[in-house]
Amino acid sequence: MSVLHIVNKSPFDRNSLDSCLRLAKADSPILLIEDGIYAVQKNTAAAERMQQALSNHPVYALRSDLQARGINPDNIIDGISLVDYDGFVELTTEHDKLQSWL
Amino acid sequence: MAIEINGKSYDTDEEGYLTNLSDWNDQLANEMAKADGAVLDENHWEVINFLRDYYEEYQIAPAVRVLTKAVGKKLGKDKGTSKYLYELFPYGPAKQACKYAGLPKPTGCV
Amino acid sequence: MASKKFLYVNRKAPHGSIYAQESLEVVLIGAAFEQDVTLAFVDDGVYQLLQNQDTAGIGAKNFAPTFRALGDYDVSQIYVERESLEMRGLSKEDLMPLTYEDEDDDWAEKDSIHVVSSDELADIIEQQDVILNF
Protein backbone atom coordinates (compact mmCIF):
# COMPACT_ATOMS: atom_id res chain seq x y z
CA MET A 1 0.00 0.00 0.00
CA SER A 2 1.33 3.39 -0.87
CA VAL A 3 -0.21 6.82 -0.98
CA LEU A 4 0.80 9.72 -3.18
CA HIS A 5 0.21 13.03 -1.41
CA ILE A 6 -0.65 16.06 -3.53
CA VAL A 7 -0.47 19.63 -2.28
CA ASN A 8 -1.92 22.40 -4.47
CA LYS A 9 -2.08 25.33 -2.02
CA SER A 10 0.55 27.91 -1.24
CA PRO A 11 2.31 27.17 2.07
CA PHE A 12 2.00 30.88 2.93
CA ASP A 13 -1.75 31.03 2.39
CA ARG A 14 -3.08 27.72 3.73
CA ASN A 15 -1.96 24.98 6.09
CA SER A 16 -2.32 22.19 3.49
CA LEU A 17 1.42 21.54 3.35
CA ASP A 18 1.68 21.40 7.15
CA SER A 19 -1.21 18.97 7.42
CA CYS A 20 0.31 16.86 4.69
CA LEU A 21 3.70 16.74 6.39
CA ARG A 22 2.11 15.89 9.73
CA LEU A 23 -0.06 13.08 8.36
CA ALA A 24 1.95 11.54 5.53
CA LYS A 25 3.73 8.27 6.41
CA ALA A 26 7.49 8.27 6.09
CA ASP A 27 8.74 7.49 2.56
CA SER A 28 5.41 8.28 0.89
CA PRO A 29 5.97 10.74 -1.94
CA ILE A 30 4.69 14.31 -2.03
CA LEU A 31 3.81 16.05 -5.28
CA LEU A 32 3.49 19.84 -5.35
CA ILE A 33 1.23 21.30 -8.03
CA GLU A 34 -0.49 24.64 -8.78
CA ASP A 35 0.11 27.11 -5.92
CA GLY A 36 1.68 24.29 -3.92
CA ILE A 37 4.87 24.81 -5.93
CA TYR A 38 5.67 28.05 -4.09
CA ALA A 39 7.16 25.75 -1.41
CA VAL A 40 10.06 24.79 -3.70
CA GLN A 41 11.98 28.06 -3.58
CA LYS A 42 15.07 28.56 -1.45
CA ASN A 43 15.19 31.17 1.31
CA THR A 44 11.48 31.28 2.04
CA ALA A 45 9.66 30.94 5.34
CA ALA A 46 8.73 27.40 4.22
CA ALA A 47 12.25 26.31 3.20
CA GLU A 48 13.14 24.75 6.54
CA ARG A 49 9.94 22.70 6.59
CA MET A 50 10.64 21.51 3.05
CA GLN A 51 14.23 20.65 3.92
CA GLN A 52 12.96 18.53 6.78
CA ALA A 53 10.28 16.94 4.61
CA LEU A 54 12.96 15.87 2.13
CA SER A 55 14.64 13.71 4.76
CA ASN A 56 11.40 11.69 5.10
CA HIS A 57 9.77 11.89 1.66
CA PRO A 58 10.60 12.04 -2.01
CA VAL A 59 9.29 15.45 -3.16
CA TYR A 60 8.21 16.27 -6.71
CA ALA A 61 6.93 19.49 -8.28
CA LEU A 62 5.14 20.04 -11.58
CA ARG A 63 7.42 21.94 -13.94
CA SER A 64 4.73 23.76 -15.93
CA ASP A 65 3.27 25.16 -12.71
CA LEU A 66 6.69 26.61 -11.84
CA GLN A 67 7.01 28.14 -15.32
CA ALA A 68 3.51 29.64 -15.18
CA ARG A 69 4.38 31.34 -11.90
CA GLY A 70 7.81 32.62 -12.92
CA ILE A 71 9.67 30.40 -10.44
CA ASN A 72 13.19 29.73 -11.70
CA PRO A 73 13.76 25.94 -11.79
CA ASP A 74 17.47 26.55 -11.19
CA ASN A 75 16.79 28.13 -7.84
CA ILE A 76 14.84 25.45 -6.01
CA ILE A 77 15.70 23.50 -2.87
CA ASP A 78 18.15 20.67 -3.61
CA GLY A 79 16.52 17.26 -3.70
CA ILE A 80 13.15 18.32 -5.13
CA SER A 81 12.55 16.63 -8.51
CA LEU A 82 10.69 18.42 -11.27
CA VAL A 83 8.23 16.37 -13.30
CA ASP A 84 6.22 17.13 -16.43
CA TYR A 85 2.64 15.95 -17.02
CA ASP A 86 3.84 12.48 -18.06
CA GLY A 87 5.74 12.20 -14.80
CA PHE A 88 2.63 13.33 -12.94
CA VAL A 89 0.58 10.55 -14.58
CA GLU A 90 3.31 8.01 -13.89
CA LEU A 91 3.39 8.94 -10.20
CA THR A 92 -0.35 8.56 -9.90
CA THR A 93 -0.33 5.14 -11.53
CA GLU A 94 2.56 3.92 -9.39
CA HIS A 95 0.57 4.40 -6.19
CA ASP A 96 -2.58 2.77 -4.88
CA LYS A 97 -4.13 5.91 -3.55
CA LEU A 98 -4.03 9.66 -3.93
CA GLN A 99 -4.47 12.01 -1.04
CA SER A 100 -5.08 15.60 -2.18
CA TRP A 101 -4.61 18.17 0.58
CA LEU A 102 -7.04 20.67 -0.93
CA MET B 1 -23.02 34.76 -34.78
CA ALA B 2 -20.50 34.18 -37.52
CA ILE B 3 -18.91 35.81 -40.56
CA GLU B 4 -18.71 33.83 -43.81
CA ILE B 5 -15.81 34.32 -46.20
CA ASN B 6 -15.21 32.01 -49.16
CA GLY B 7 -17.20 29.25 -47.54
CA LYS B 8 -15.25 29.47 -44.27
CA SER B 9 -17.12 30.50 -41.15
CA TYR B 10 -15.62 32.62 -38.33
CA ASP B 11 -17.38 32.75 -34.95
CA THR B 12 -18.13 36.09 -33.35
CA ASP B 13 -19.94 37.12 -30.17
CA GLU B 14 -23.36 38.78 -30.23
CA GLU B 15 -21.76 42.19 -30.81
CA GLY B 16 -19.65 41.00 -33.73
CA TYR B 17 -16.29 40.64 -31.95
CA LEU B 18 -14.21 37.73 -33.19
CA THR B 19 -14.25 34.75 -30.80
CA ASN B 20 -10.77 33.45 -31.64
CA LEU B 21 -8.03 36.05 -31.93
CA SER B 22 -6.01 33.67 -34.10
CA ASP B 23 -8.78 33.50 -36.76
CA TRP B 24 -8.08 37.08 -37.76
CA ASN B 25 -6.94 38.14 -41.22
CA ASP B 26 -7.10 41.28 -43.41
CA GLN B 27 -10.09 40.04 -45.30
CA LEU B 28 -12.09 39.56 -42.11
CA ALA B 29 -11.40 43.16 -41.11
CA ASN B 30 -12.56 44.36 -44.53
CA GLU B 31 -15.74 42.29 -44.28
CA MET B 32 -16.52 43.63 -40.81
CA ALA B 33 -16.04 47.18 -42.09
CA LYS B 34 -18.23 46.52 -45.12
CA ALA B 35 -21.03 45.34 -42.83
CA ASP B 36 -20.77 48.73 -41.06
CA GLY B 37 -20.82 50.54 -44.42
CA ALA B 38 -17.14 51.52 -44.18
CA VAL B 39 -14.09 51.04 -46.41
CA LEU B 40 -10.70 50.69 -44.73
CA ASP B 41 -7.90 52.91 -46.00
CA GLU B 42 -4.26 53.09 -44.90
CA ASN B 43 -5.13 55.35 -41.97
CA HIS B 44 -7.56 52.79 -40.61
CA TRP B 45 -4.99 50.04 -41.08
CA GLU B 46 -2.37 52.03 -39.21
CA VAL B 47 -4.64 52.10 -36.14
CA ILE B 48 -5.76 48.49 -36.55
CA ASN B 49 -2.17 47.26 -36.77
CA PHE B 50 -1.25 49.44 -33.82
CA LEU B 51 -4.01 47.81 -31.77
CA ARG B 52 -2.89 44.32 -32.72
CA ASP B 53 0.68 45.15 -31.65
CA TYR B 54 -0.64 46.62 -28.40
CA TYR B 55 -2.63 43.47 -27.67
CA GLU B 56 0.33 41.27 -28.51
CA GLU B 57 2.48 43.14 -26.02
CA TYR B 58 0.03 43.75 -23.16
CA GLN B 59 -2.72 41.16 -23.70
CA ILE B 60 -5.46 43.80 -23.53
CA ALA B 61 -7.33 46.12 -25.86
CA PRO B 62 -6.67 49.63 -24.54
CA ALA B 63 -9.40 52.01 -23.36
CA VAL B 64 -10.01 54.94 -25.72
CA ARG B 65 -8.11 57.46 -23.57
CA VAL B 66 -5.11 55.16 -23.47
CA LEU B 67 -5.38 54.42 -27.18
CA THR B 68 -5.45 58.13 -28.04
CA LYS B 69 -2.36 58.85 -25.98
CA ALA B 70 -0.46 55.82 -27.27
CA VAL B 71 -1.34 56.55 -30.92
CA GLY B 72 -0.08 60.11 -30.48
CA LYS B 73 3.20 58.80 -29.17
CA LYS B 74 3.64 56.13 -31.84
CA LEU B 75 2.04 57.58 -34.99
CA GLY B 76 2.48 61.30 -34.42
CA LYS B 77 0.81 64.02 -32.34
CA ASP B 78 -1.69 65.01 -35.06
CA LYS B 79 -3.12 61.48 -34.95
CA GLY B 80 -3.28 61.20 -31.19
CA THR B 81 -6.53 63.15 -30.89
CA SER B 82 -10.02 61.84 -30.34
CA LYS B 83 -11.20 63.96 -33.30
CA TYR B 84 -8.87 62.15 -35.70
CA LEU B 85 -9.72 58.71 -34.32
CA TYR B 86 -13.49 59.33 -34.24
CA GLU B 87 -13.37 60.48 -37.86
CA LEU B 88 -11.77 57.18 -38.80
CA PHE B 89 -13.99 55.09 -36.53
CA PRO B 90 -17.28 56.93 -35.93
CA TYR B 91 -18.71 54.13 -33.74
CA GLY B 92 -15.93 54.80 -31.27
CA PRO B 93 -12.23 54.24 -31.97
CA ALA B 94 -11.60 51.66 -29.26
CA LYS B 95 -14.80 49.72 -29.90
CA GLN B 96 -14.89 49.74 -33.68
CA ALA B 97 -11.17 49.52 -34.39
CA CYS B 98 -10.76 46.70 -31.87
CA LYS B 99 -13.52 44.79 -33.57
CA TYR B 100 -11.86 45.10 -36.98
CA ALA B 101 -8.53 44.14 -35.38
CA GLY B 102 -10.09 40.92 -34.12
CA LEU B 103 -9.59 41.89 -30.47
CA PRO B 104 -12.07 41.61 -27.61
CA LYS B 105 -14.05 44.69 -26.65
CA PRO B 106 -11.78 47.02 -24.64
CA THR B 107 -11.86 46.60 -20.88
CA GLY B 108 -14.04 49.30 -19.38
CA CYS B 109 -16.15 49.79 -22.50
CA VAL B 110 -19.90 49.46 -21.98
CA MET C 1 -17.33 63.42 -10.84
CA ALA C 2 -14.87 64.23 -8.10
CA SER C 3 -12.00 61.80 -8.12
CA LYS C 4 -11.69 59.52 -5.10
CA LYS C 5 -8.71 57.63 -3.84
CA PHE C 6 -9.13 53.95 -4.66
CA LEU C 7 -6.87 51.30 -3.15
CA TYR C 8 -6.84 47.76 -4.50
CA VAL C 9 -5.34 45.28 -2.05
CA ASN C 10 -4.07 42.12 -3.78
CA ARG C 11 -3.32 39.15 -1.53
CA LYS C 12 -3.71 36.09 -3.77
CA ALA C 13 -1.21 34.25 -5.95
CA PRO C 14 -1.81 34.82 -9.68
CA HIS C 15 -2.89 31.51 -11.21
CA GLY C 16 -4.43 29.37 -8.46
CA SER C 17 -7.65 31.40 -8.38
CA ILE C 18 -9.37 34.04 -10.50
CA TYR C 19 -8.91 36.86 -7.94
CA ALA C 20 -5.71 38.33 -9.40
CA GLN C 21 -6.98 38.52 -12.95
CA GLU C 22 -10.34 39.94 -11.88
CA SER C 23 -8.60 42.56 -9.76
CA LEU C 24 -6.47 43.72 -12.67
CA GLU C 25 -9.57 43.99 -14.84
CA VAL C 26 -11.38 46.10 -12.24
CA VAL C 27 -8.28 48.26 -11.81
CA LEU C 28 -8.19 48.99 -15.54
CA ILE C 29 -11.88 49.85 -15.57
CA GLY C 30 -11.46 52.15 -12.56
CA ALA C 31 -8.43 53.80 -14.13
CA ALA C 32 -10.25 54.31 -17.45
CA PHE C 33 -12.69 56.51 -15.49
CA GLU C 34 -9.77 58.61 -14.26
CA GLN C 35 -9.93 57.80 -10.59
CA ASP C 36 -6.89 58.07 -8.36
CA VAL C 37 -5.75 54.47 -8.21
CA THR C 38 -3.23 52.85 -5.89
CA LEU C 39 -2.34 49.16 -5.85
CA ALA C 40 -0.98 47.23 -2.89
CA PHE C 41 0.53 43.76 -3.09
CA VAL C 42 0.60 41.83 0.16
CA ASP C 43 1.07 38.16 1.17
CA ASP C 44 0.91 35.80 -1.87
CA GLY C 45 -0.25 38.79 -3.93
CA VAL C 46 3.44 39.69 -4.43
CA TYR C 47 3.74 36.62 -6.68
CA GLN C 48 1.53 38.37 -9.24
CA LEU C 49 4.42 40.69 -10.09
CA LEU C 50 7.12 38.02 -10.56
CA GLN C 51 9.10 38.19 -13.80
CA ASN C 52 9.15 35.44 -16.43
CA GLN C 53 5.68 33.99 -15.88
CA ASP C 54 4.88 31.70 -18.81
CA THR C 55 1.46 30.06 -18.67
CA ALA C 56 1.68 28.22 -22.01
CA GLY C 57 2.18 24.92 -20.18
CA ILE C 58 -0.94 25.21 -18.01
CA GLY C 59 -3.32 26.39 -20.73
CA ALA C 60 -4.25 29.62 -18.95
CA LYS C 61 -4.15 33.20 -20.20
CA ASN C 62 -0.98 34.98 -19.18
CA PHE C 63 -2.15 38.30 -17.80
CA ALA C 64 1.23 39.26 -16.32
CA PRO C 65 2.13 41.43 -19.37
CA THR C 66 -0.99 43.50 -18.72
CA PHE C 67 0.61 44.90 -15.55
CA ARG C 68 3.05 46.68 -17.88
CA ALA C 69 0.14 48.62 -19.42
CA LEU C 70 -0.76 50.16 -16.05
CA GLY C 71 1.55 53.11 -16.74
CA ASP C 72 -0.49 53.94 -19.87
CA TYR C 73 -3.58 53.98 -17.64
CA ASP C 74 -1.86 56.47 -15.29
CA VAL C 75 -1.64 53.87 -12.54
CA SER C 76 1.74 54.73 -11.11
CA GLN C 77 1.40 54.05 -7.39
CA ILE C 78 2.18 50.41 -6.80
CA TYR C 79 3.21 49.39 -3.29
CA VAL C 80 4.66 46.02 -2.39
CA GLU C 81 5.05 45.04 1.25
CA ARG C 82 8.68 44.26 2.06
CA GLU C 83 7.80 41.74 4.77
CA SER C 84 5.73 39.70 2.28
CA LEU C 85 8.64 39.64 -0.17
CA GLU C 86 11.17 38.62 2.46
CA MET C 87 9.04 35.78 3.77
CA ARG C 88 9.06 34.39 0.22
CA GLY C 89 12.79 34.86 -0.33
CA LEU C 90 12.11 37.59 -2.90
CA SER C 91 13.36 41.10 -3.53
CA LYS C 92 12.44 43.91 -5.90
CA GLU C 93 14.81 42.48 -8.54
CA ASP C 94 12.56 39.43 -8.84
CA LEU C 95 9.61 41.62 -9.86
CA MET C 96 8.71 42.91 -13.33
CA PRO C 97 9.95 46.45 -13.88
CA LEU C 98 6.83 48.63 -14.08
CA THR C 99 7.15 52.23 -15.14
CA TYR C 100 5.10 55.33 -16.02
CA GLU C 101 5.87 58.60 -17.74
CA ASP C 102 5.63 61.57 -15.39
CA GLU C 103 3.54 64.30 -17.02
CA ASP C 104 4.83 66.88 -14.51
CA ASP C 105 8.48 66.06 -15.16
CA ASP C 106 8.81 66.26 -18.96
CA TRP C 107 7.48 62.71 -19.38
CA ALA C 108 10.48 61.18 -17.66
CA GLU C 109 10.13 57.43 -17.25
CA LYS C 110 9.85 56.52 -13.58
CA ASP C 111 9.48 53.45 -11.46
CA SER C 112 5.90 52.62 -10.40
CA ILE C 113 6.80 49.92 -7.89
CA HIS C 114 7.72 50.95 -4.36
CA VAL C 115 8.72 48.37 -1.81
CA VAL C 116 7.46 49.63 1.56
CA SER C 117 7.39 48.38 5.13
CA SER C 118 4.22 47.20 6.85
CA ASP C 119 4.10 50.47 8.80
CA GLU C 120 4.32 52.54 5.63
CA LEU C 121 1.64 50.45 3.97
CA ALA C 122 -0.60 50.86 7.01
CA ASP C 123 -0.37 54.66 6.52
CA ILE C 124 -1.21 54.31 2.81
CA ILE C 125 -4.31 52.28 3.68
CA GLU C 126 -5.41 55.01 6.10
CA GLN C 127 -5.31 57.66 3.35
CA GLN C 128 -7.85 56.01 1.03
CA ASP C 129 -11.50 56.78 0.32
CA VAL C 130 -12.38 53.37 -1.06
CA ILE C 131 -10.60 50.03 -0.49
CA LEU C 132 -11.24 46.97 -2.63
CA ASN C 133 -9.88 43.57 -1.67
CA PHE C 134 -8.87 40.75 -3.94
Side-chain angles (χ1 to χ4, degrees), chain C residues 33-53:
Chain C
F33 288 100
E34 306 197 34
Q35 299 294 325
D36 179 354
V37 173
T38 299
L39 307 190
F41 291 87
V42 179
D43 298 331
D44 277 357
V46 302
Y47 285 132
Q48 294 179 30
L49 300 178
L50 275 192
Q51 301 213 45
N52 303 320
Q53 297 179 53

Side-chain angles (χ1 to χ4, degrees), chain C:
Chain C
M1 183 165 58
S3 133
K4 286 191 169 182
K5 285 177 76 67
F6 279 72
L7 175 69
Y8 296 80
V9 181
N10 299 283
R11 296 182 48 247
K12 302 266 194 248
H15 307 295
S17 67
I18 196 72
Y19 283 93
Q21 198 180 341
E22 290 288 312
S23 172
L24 187 52
E25 183 121 326
V26 177
V27 165
L28 293 175
I29 292 169
F33 288 100
E34 306 197 34
Q35 299 294 325
D36 179 354
V37 173
T38 299
L39 307 190
F41 291 87
V42 179
D43 298 331
D44 277 357
V46 302
Y47 285 132
Q48 294 179 30
L49 300 178
L50 275 192
Q51 301 213 45
N52 303 320
Q53 297 179 53
D54 174 6
T55 56
I58 63 167
K61 177 170 168 152
N62 190 7
F63 58 93
T66 306
F67 284 108
R68 290 190 281 107
L70 287 170
D72 289 347
Y73 281 75
D74 296 325
V75 175
S76 58
Q77 305 168 83
I78 301 177
Y79 296 96
V80 180
E81 191 202 20
R82 181 176 294 115
E83 285 77 353
S84 294
L85 284 176
E86 283 173 355
M87 198 182 154
R88 290 161 183 78
L90 302 173
S91 65
K92 195 180 175 189
E93 286 64 50
D94 297 305
L95 309 180
M96 293 181 259
L98 300 181
T99 58
Y100 72 103
E101 291 173 349
D102 190 348
E103 200 171 342
D104 303 323
D105 190 9
D106 200 22
W107 305 101
E109 191 168 88
K110 293 184 179 176
D111 226 340
S112 301
I113 296 185
H114 306 279
V115 176
V116 295
S117 69
S118 311
D119 287 345
E120 289 170 297
L121 189 55
D123 289 337
I124 290 162
I125 293 170
E126 286 283 323
Q127 294 156 10
Q128 307 300 318
D129 297 311
V130 181
I131 303 176
L132 295 137
N133 287 278
F134 290 90

Side-chain angles (χ1 to χ4, degrees), chain A:
Chain A
M1 289 293 283
S2 62
V3 179
L4 171 67
H5 293 267
I6 299 180
V7 176
N8 76 336
K9 297 294 189 296
S10 160
F12 313 111
D13 189 40
R14 304 281 195 90
N15 58 6
S16 308
L17 178 68
D18 293 325
S19 299
C20 171
L21 295 179
R22 191 170 72 243
L23 294 165
K25 284 272 203 192
D27 300 328
S28 50
I30 297 170
L31 171 62
L32 305 172
I33 64 168
E34 299 169 6
D35 287 349
I37 63 91
Y38 288 122
V40 303
Q41 277 197 303
K42 287 178 181 164
N43 305 316
T44 76
E48 211 179 291
R49 272 175 282 165
M50 284 312 295
Q51 203 68 59
Q52 218 163 6
L54 279 161
S55 57
N56 292 319
H57 306 275
V59 178
Y60 304 89
L62 193 57
R63 187 190 304 275
S64 47
D65 281 328
L66 264 75
Q67 283 166 343
R69 288 161 181 77
I71 302 296
N72 185 352
D74 298 330
N75 189 32
I76 67 175
I77 295 167
D78 293 334
I80 297 177
S81 317
L82 294 184
V83 294
D84 52 23
Y85 285 113
D86 289 344
F88 185 169
V89 171
E90 210 167 294
L91 276 172
T92 59
T93 56
E94 279 170 2
H95 297 88
D96 306 318
K97 285 185 195 141
L98 300 181
Q99 164 58 15
S100 284
W101 297 92
L102 297 177

